[in-house]
Amino acid sequence: MELGAFSVSLTVKDLEASRRFYETLGFMPFAGDQAQGWLILKNGAHVIGLFQGMFERNMLTFNPGWDQNAQPVGAFTDVRELQRRLKARGVPLVSEADESTTGPASFVVVDPDGNPILVDQHV
């Protein structure tokens, strides 16, 4: 099951302080809007998202249809198809994509330890 680009989405208390910290580790902002409370940073192939006031917990994030540079890829498995496959395997969903739509959509599952996993398609 190909889930798309991978990143870790971190819930932060102070976006500016977190940005500065991760920049010292070699991460550089390449997407987002600090005024809206979110930034995406990259160090080589490693991607992290910093989100202030948007999520309750840190989570794993997968983006079907994107590569690690947030650029569209050719062929990919649509988020609604991934959702159907997981539901068929008995995986409970916390939130679901509307299967009557096309294009951008998302769903959330939670692993056995309570870690949320966001599958978020932007194309």
Side-chain angles (χ1 to χ4, degrees):
M1 184 177 302
E2 176 58 44
L3 298 173
F6 173 74
S7 62
V8 175
S9 296
L10 300 175
T11 299
V12 301
K13 295 176 185 168
D14 182 332
L15 184 59
E16 177 61 21
S18 294
R19 181 192 58 78
R20 285 192 315 265
F21 173 79
Y22 283 101
E23 284 179 346
T24 65
L25 297 178
F27 284 86
M28 295 304 297
F30 84 101
D33 186 336
Q34 193 159 345
Q36 292 180 357
W38 66 284
L39 290 171
I40 309 299
L41 292 85
K42 189 167 184 187
N43 179 337
H46 308 293
V47 180
I48 58 173
L50 305 177
F51 298 89
Q52 184 174 335
M54 294 185 176
F55 305 119
E56 291 181 27
R57 298 185 62 176
N58 297 334
M59 69 179 102
L60 305 177
T61 302
F62 295 95
N63 300 111
W66 271 5
D67 66 15
Q68 286 300 105
N69 294 310
Q71 296 300 306
V73 297
F76 67 95
T77 306
D78 186 82
V79 68
R80 284 156 284 268
E81 176 59 26
L82 294 170
Q83 175 176 284
R84 282 189 288 276
R85 291 179 190 178
L86 291 174
K87 288 169 80 172
R89 294 178 183 176
V91 177
L93 281 73
V94 174
S95 68
E96 296 187 29
D98 181 347
E99 293 194 19
S100 69
T101 64
T102 61
S106 65
F107 67 83
V108 175
V109 297
V110 176
D111 78 9
D113 295 299
N115 299 304
I117 301 169
L118 171 65
V119 181
D120 191 16
Q121 180 176 306
H122 297 277
V123 293

